[in-house]
Amino acid sequence: MTQNHILRDRALAFRSRHVPGRPLVLPNAWDATSARIVEDAGAAAVATTSAGLAWALGTADGDRLDRDRALGAVARIAEVVRVPVTADIESGYARDSVGVGDTIRAVIAAGAVGVNIEDALYGSGEGPLRPVAEQAERLAAARKAADAAGVPLFVNARIDTFLRGAGGVDLTLERAAAFLAAGADGIFVPGVVDPVTVKALADGIDAPLNVMAGPGAPPVAELAALGVARVSIGSGISQAVHAVVRRAARELLGTGTYESLAEGLDYGELNALLGSGR
């Protein structure tokens, strides 16, 4: 079986798991080790977190990472897991729709079968979100590139209305409809976990809805009952891991003790996990 056939089968399997009421649950990873741990825990797919990945590469989040470095990391993740991989590619690592198409071809070459593409604008001074028409053009370019490659890539259109305080349900639904018409397969609305709002979005969007959960959010079962089809946690695990790093470093340098390390994974277990990858 060719690599393209393998990716096609993975993409179809990944797509089939987006079921309202029975959501795909994605503990986001940021490097090969975290990806293998997530897979070993039983995840049906591995999703990257752009923030966690950027931090691991020594870069701040927010469209500051270049395409080659980002997708190099995605390729390493895809190499070590057997489950489908979906990549958070921020705004597409490109200035225009032509560049987004190039990114999608590189995503597929890296072995991923899904992407998140966000509509946030950073550092332009033109507002918090891209104009609808411009973002739709970028999503259409992503769809065209994936279709040309023969891989049914799941394009998850991220809408940052709530995350950036740019609008509410009505504006989100308006943007979602335009993005789906442009070729997106799902809609990701981070920054909202209120049950009434989530229900309104799930009912109003004619596609799988992805929400980002974390401390204070309803449990997965409650989100499922609201019609959510995908639950991810963004950079949450990465942030928790880095909190342990800081706590352990401060303890060692302060009191000279090591209690923060008490619940670490066993060396042999981690070594074996990475040795039994794909």
Side-chain angles (χ1 to χ4, degrees):
M1 184 178 291
T2 67
Q3 181 65 16
N4 223 45
H5 281 94
I6 293 171
L7 287 178
R8 184 178 182 279
D9 289 348
R10 281 197 185 141
L12 291 172
F14 180 67
R15 180 179 294 271
S16 71
R17 291 186 174 275
H18 291 77
V19 181
R22 291 191 287 115
L24 173 64
V25 181
L26 297 170
N28 300 73
W30 60 94
D31 62 8
T33 304
S34 60
R36 278 291 291 125
I37 292 170
V38 164
E39 180 186 39
D40 188 64
V46 169
T48 69
T49 155
S50 64
L53 192 149
W55 297 334
L57 294 174
T59 303
D61 189 30
D63 272 348
R64 294 178 175 90
L65 190 60
D66 67 87
R67 177 196 294 155
D68 290 346
R69 294 181 71 208
L71 296 186
V74 171
R76 285 190 288 277
I77 288 170
E79 284 173 4
V80 302
V81 299
R82 295 181 175 88
V83 297
V85 172
T86 182
D88 186 334
I89 58 171
E90 302 190 53
S91 297
Y93 301 125
R95 295 177 61 87
D96 55 25
S97 60
V98 173
V100 172
D102 292 338
T103 296
I104 294 302
R105 284 184 280 274
V107 164
I108 293 170
V113 296
V115 290
N116 288 354
I117 304 178
E118 64 192 59
D119 62 358
L121 272 173
Y122 296 96
S124 70
E126 298 176 2
L129 304 178
R130 289 185 189 277
V132 171
E134 180 185 345
Q135 184 66 6
E137 183 181 357
R138 295 167 74 87
L139 292 166
R143 176 82 282 141
K144 182 178 179 180
D147 290 349
V151 176
L153 188 84
F154 191 96
V155 178
N156 206 26
R158 175 173 141 177
I159 300 176
D160 279 359
T161 41
F162 287 91
L163 197 63
R164 307 202 77 188
V169 171
D170 289 345
L171 182 60
T172 304
L173 294 180
E174 177 185 324
R175 295 178 78 87
F179 297 164
L180 292 171
D185 300 292
I187 299 295
F188 178 25
V189 186
V192 56
V193 292
D194 168 66
V196 173
T197 306
V198 170
K199 177 66 172 168
L201 293 173
D203 289 346
I205 294 172
D206 189 23
L209 173 65
N210 178 187
V211 299
M212 184 169 69
V220 170
E222 291 184 24
L223 293 172
L226 296 171
V228 171
R230 174 165 161 176
V231 179
S232 51
I233 53 174
S235 60
I237 297 177
S238 174
Q239 289 173 255
V241 167
H242 294 315
V244 173
V245 174
R246 181 167 68 179
R247 187 162 58 249
R250 287 179 173 176
E251 180 188 359
L252 179 62
L253 296 171
T255 63
T257 54
Y258 327 102
E259 295 307 308
S260 298
L261 306 178
E263 295 184 8
L265 288 178
D266 178 74
Y267 171 90
E269 181 182 1
L270 266 177
N271 217 37
L273 191 64
L274 269 295
S276 63
R278 221 173 93 194

PDB file of all heavy atoms in Angstrom, residues 25 34 46 70 75 92 124 134 140-141 150 186 190 230 248 277:
ATOM      1  N   VAL A  25     -12.169  12.843  21.491  1.00  0.00           N
ATOM      2  CA  VAL A  25     -11.489  13.520  22.595  1.00  0.00           C
ATOM      3  C   VAL A  25      -9.993  13.520  22.330  1.00  0.00           C
ATOM      4  O   VAL A  25      -9.387  12.460  22.128  1.00  0.00           O
ATOM      5  CB  VAL A  25     -11.796  12.837  23.947  1.00  0.00           C
ATOM      6  CG1 VAL A  25     -11.100  13.572  25.091  1.00  0.00           C
ATOM      7  CG2 VAL A  25     -13.309  12.812  24.189  1.00  0.00           C
ATOM      8  N   SER A  34       5.388  13.355  23.980  1.00  0.00           N
ATOM      9  CA  SER A  34       4.016  13.586  24.459  1.00  0.00           C
ATOM     10  C   SER A  34       3.009  12.886  23.554  1.00  0.00           C
ATOM     11  O   SER A  34       1.982  12.376  24.017  1.00  0.00           O
ATOM     12  CB  SER A  34       3.725  15.085  24.567  1.00  0.00           C
ATOM     13  OG  SER A  34       3.860  15.736  23.321  1.00  0.00           O
ATOM     14  N   VAL A  46      -4.017  11.873  17.515  1.00  0.00           N
ATOM     15  CA  VAL A  46      -3.140  12.826  18.194  1.00  0.00           C
ATOM     16  C   VAL A  46      -3.306  14.180  17.524  1.00  0.00           C
ATOM     17  O   VAL A  46      -3.168  14.293  16.306  1.00  0.00           O
ATOM     18  CB  VAL A  46      -1.663  12.391  18.135  1.00  0.00           C
ATOM     19  CG1 VAL A  46      -0.750  13.519  18.595  1.00  0.00           C
ATOM     20  CG2 VAL A  46      -1.438  11.152  18.998  1.00  0.00           C
ATOM     21  N   ALA A  70       7.834  24.157  12.190  1.00  0.00           N
ATOM     22  CA  ALA A  70       6.582  23.622  12.726  1.00  0.00           C
ATOM     23  C   ALA A  70       6.271  22.250  12.144  1.00  0.00           C
ATOM     24  O   ALA A  70       5.967  21.296  12.877  1.00  0.00           O
ATOM     25  CB  ALA A  70       5.442  24.591  12.444  1.00  0.00           C
ATOM     26  N   ALA A  75       6.051  16.182  11.582  1.00  0.00           N
ATOM     27  CA  ALA A  75       6.532  14.961  10.929  1.00  0.00           C
ATOM     28  C   ALA A  75       7.120  13.989  11.944  1.00  0.00           C
ATOM     29  O   ALA A  75       6.903  12.772  11.846  1.00  0.00           O
ATOM     30  CB  ALA A  75       7.575  15.312   9.864  1.00  0.00           C
ATOM     31  N   GLY A  92      -1.955  29.164   9.064  1.00  0.00           N
ATOM     32  CA  GLY A  92      -1.543  28.496   7.827  1.00  0.00           C
ATOM     33  C   GLY A  92      -0.091  28.712   7.464  1.00  0.00           C
ATOM     34  O   GLY A  92       0.363  28.279   6.415  1.00  0.00           O
ATOM     35  N   SER A 124      -1.126  43.038  13.091  1.00  0.00           N
ATOM     36  CA  SER A 124      -1.379  43.790  11.863  1.00  0.00           C
ATOM     37  C   SER A 124      -1.972  45.159  12.124  1.00  0.00           C
ATOM     38  O   SER A 124      -1.918  46.033  11.274  1.00  0.00           O
ATOM     39  CB  SER A 124      -2.346  43.008  10.963  1.00  0.00           C
ATOM     40  OG  SER A 124      -3.638  42.991  11.544  1.00  0.00           O
ATOM     41  N   GLU A 134     -11.513  36.934   3.077  1.00  0.00           N
ATOM     42  CA  GLU A 134     -10.094  36.552   3.026  1.00  0.00           C
ATOM     43  C   GLU A 134      -9.871  35.195   3.672  1.00  0.00           C
ATOM     44  O   GLU A 134      -9.142  34.345   3.129  1.00  0.00           O
ATOM     45  CB  GLU A 134      -9.250  37.619   3.721  1.00  0.00           C
ATOM     46  CG  GLU A 134      -7.757  37.303   3.710  1.00  0.00           C
ATOM     47  CD  GLU A 134      -6.939  38.307   4.500  1.00  0.00           C
ATOM     48  OE1 GLU A 134      -7.458  39.396   4.822  1.00  0.00           O
ATOM     49  OE2 GLU A 134      -5.760  37.994   4.789  1.00  0.00           O
ATOM     50  N   ALA A 140     -10.456  27.747   1.293  1.00  0.00           N
ATOM     51  CA  ALA A 140     -10.686  27.142  -0.021  1.00  0.00           C
ATOM     52  C   ALA A 140      -9.381  26.654  -0.637  1.00  0.00           C
ATOM     53  O   ALA A 140      -9.332  25.592  -1.275  1.00  0.00           O
ATOM     54  CB  ALA A 140     -11.360  28.157  -0.946  1.00  0.00           C
ATOM     55  N   ALA A 141      -8.310  27.403  -0.423  1.00  0.00           N
ATOM     56  CA  ALA A 141      -6.998  26.986  -0.927  1.00  0.00           C
ATOM     57  C   ALA A 141      -6.531  25.711  -0.229  1.00  0.00           C
ATOM     58  O   ALA A 141      -5.933  24.824  -0.852  1.00  0.00           O
ATOM     59  CB  ALA A 141      -5.980  28.105  -0.726  1.00  0.00           C
ATOM     60  N   GLY A 150      -5.239  14.012  -3.147  1.00  0.00           N
ATOM     61  CA  GLY A 150      -5.973  12.765  -2.990  1.00  0.00           C
ATOM     62  C   GLY A 150      -6.143  12.327  -1.553  1.00  0.00           C
ATOM     63  O   GLY A 150      -6.422  11.161  -1.278  1.00  0.00           O
ATOM     64  N   GLY A 186     -15.145  21.117   9.633  1.00  0.00           N
ATOM     65  CA  GLY A 186     -15.597  21.282  11.013  1.00  0.00           C
ATOM     66  C   GLY A 186     -15.324  22.697  11.470  1.00  0.00           C
ATOM     67  O   GLY A 186     -14.570  23.442  10.831  1.00  0.00           O
ATOM     68  N   PRO A 190     -12.835  28.024  20.176  1.00  0.00           N
ATOM     69  CA  PRO A 190     -12.231  28.043  21.516  1.00  0.00           C
ATOM     70  C   PRO A 190     -12.731  29.252  22.300  1.00  0.00           C
ATOM     71  O   PRO A 190     -13.231  30.227  21.727  1.00  0.00           O
ATOM     72  CB  PRO A 190     -10.735  28.170  21.212  1.00  0.00           C
ATOM     73  CG  PRO A 190     -10.681  28.881  19.900  1.00  0.00           C
ATOM     74  CD  PRO A 190     -11.887  28.433  19.126  1.00  0.00           C
ATOM     75  N   ARG A 230     -16.267  17.184  19.037  1.00  0.00           N
ATOM     76  CA  ARG A 230     -14.816  17.082  19.254  1.00  0.00           C
ATOM     77  C   ARG A 230     -14.451  17.949  20.445  1.00  0.00           C
ATOM     78  O   ARG A 230     -14.864  19.107  20.545  1.00  0.00           O
ATOM     79  CB  ARG A 230     -14.089  17.544  17.996  1.00  0.00           C
ATOM     80  CG  ARG A 230     -12.574  17.636  18.066  1.00  0.00           C
ATOM     81  CD  ARG A 230     -12.049  17.746  16.644  1.00  0.00           C
ATOM     82  NE  ARG A 230     -10.691  18.273  16.533  1.00  0.00           N
ATOM     83  CZ  ARG A 230     -10.022  18.383  15.382  1.00  0.00           C
ATOM     84  NH1 ARG A 230     -10.582  18.002  14.247  1.00  0.00           N
ATOM     85  NH2 ARG A 230      -8.804  18.875  15.342  1.00  0.00           N
ATOM     86  N   ALA A 248       9.813  22.128  40.172  1.00  0.00           N
ATOM     87  CA  ALA A 248      10.955  21.286  40.525  1.00  0.00           C
ATOM     88  C   ALA A 248      12.253  22.088  40.551  1.00  0.00           C
ATOM     89  O   ALA A 248      13.107  21.898  41.426  1.00  0.00           O
ATOM     90  CB  ALA A 248      11.068  20.125  39.540  1.00  0.00           C
ATOM     91  N   GLY A 277       7.496   2.554  19.333  1.00  0.00           N
ATOM     92  CA  GLY A 277       6.696   3.377  18.435  1.00  0.00           C
ATOM     93  C   GLY A 277       6.569   2.762  17.058  1.00  0.00           C
ATOM     94  O   GLY A 277       6.997   1.654  16.802  1.00  0.00           O
TER      95      GLY A 277
END
